[in-house]
Amino acid sequence: MRRRDLLRLAGTAGLATLAGCSLLGDREDDVTPTPHSTATPPGPERRFDRTVDLVEAGADPTGEELIDPVLDGVVESDPRVLLPEGEYRLRRFELTDAENVALVGDDARLVPASRGAEKLCVFSRVSDLWVSGLTVDQSGPDRCGWMDVRVTGGTNVISDVRLEGRNDVTAGTFGLTLLCE
């Protein structure tokens, strides 16, 4: 076997494992996309009984005030959290041992509140997670955002997460960590 073939095989296996971590779950109704699959998981609007508009819940869309306390308060009850157009100043959002949660932006920009490299969103031991439509704006001086996602199974979707700005932090860079626990 040539080195190129071995790398292609390893990459395909890695993508299949990350796509939904279905190897860890035993639900027959899981949609498990593979590199050659045309299956698409249901959109977040169909997976959730209720949607919480973060601005209506009290978050500041101007980037002046931290949204951490508001975001922490609404995610406790499995909603689809919508971030309407705006700038949202975030220090750190952590979600652990949860399932069926969505964080969906509509031209929403997450602005790191702290200087240096910082984990903005940390999802640990979650399943059926949906994160999409967000821009991490690290255009301010000495700002760098990071997402850490550790899923335990289910159908997990991370899409349309963009980075804007040039990183001038020497401690690290923008990143997205994806792991199946």
Side-chain angles (χ1 to χ4, degrees):
M1 180 177 279
R2 294 182 329 201
R3 181 175 181 260
R4 180 176 292 162
D5 294 331
L6 182 61
L7 289 172
R8 185 178 301 126
L9 179 63
T12 302
L15 282 175
T17 302
L18 281 177
C21 300
S22 64
L23 298 175
L24 299 175
D26 56 359
R27 291 177 23 197
E28 292 181 20
D29 60 339
D30 279 351
V31 176
T32 307
T34 64
H36 303 290
S37 173
T38 59
T40 302
E45 64 282 350
R46 289 181 271 158
R47 283 179 31 180
F48 300 90
D49 291 332
R50 75 183 180 97
T51 297
V52 175
D53 182 305
L54 203 60
V55 173
E56 290 176 8
D60 172 26
T62 69
E64 296 296 318
E65 301 291 326
L66 284 173
I67 65 163
D68 303 42
V70 178
L71 190 54
D72 289 340
V74 300
V75 175
E76 294 176 3
S77 55
D78 289 349
R80 172 182 176 243
V81 179
L82 176 64
L83 284 81
E85 182 178 356
E87 276 192 13
Y88 298 92
R89 195 165 142 226
L90 181 64
R91 184 170 317 279
R92 186 176 182 125
F93 170 66
E94 293 188 47
L95 184 64
T96 303
D97 295 322
E99 57 185 60
N100 205 37
V101 174
L103 193 57
V104 180
D106 183 11
D107 199 20
R109 305 169 71 74
L110 298 178
V111 180
S114 302
R115 291 189 172 278
E118 186 68 43
K119 287 184 181 177
L120 289 179
C121 297
V122 178
F123 301 97
S124 182
R125 294 185 310 272
V126 298
S127 63
D128 296 311
L129 175 68
W130 191 294
V131 178
S132 66
L134 301 173
T135 297
V136 177
D137 182 354
Q138 63 180 30
S139 60
D142 198 24
R143 303 279 193 249
C144 180
W146 192 278
M147 282 191 178
D148 188 36
V149 180
R150 298 164 187 257
V151 298
T152 57
T155 301
N156 302 285
V157 177
I158 298 176
S159 68
D160 195 22
V161 177
R162 298 171 303 278
L163 172 67
E164 185 174 287
R166 182 166 182 249
N167 179 9
D168 63 356
V169 175
T170 58
T173 61
F174 171 77
L176 175 63
T177 303
L178 295 172
L179 295 173
C180 293
E181 294 186 312

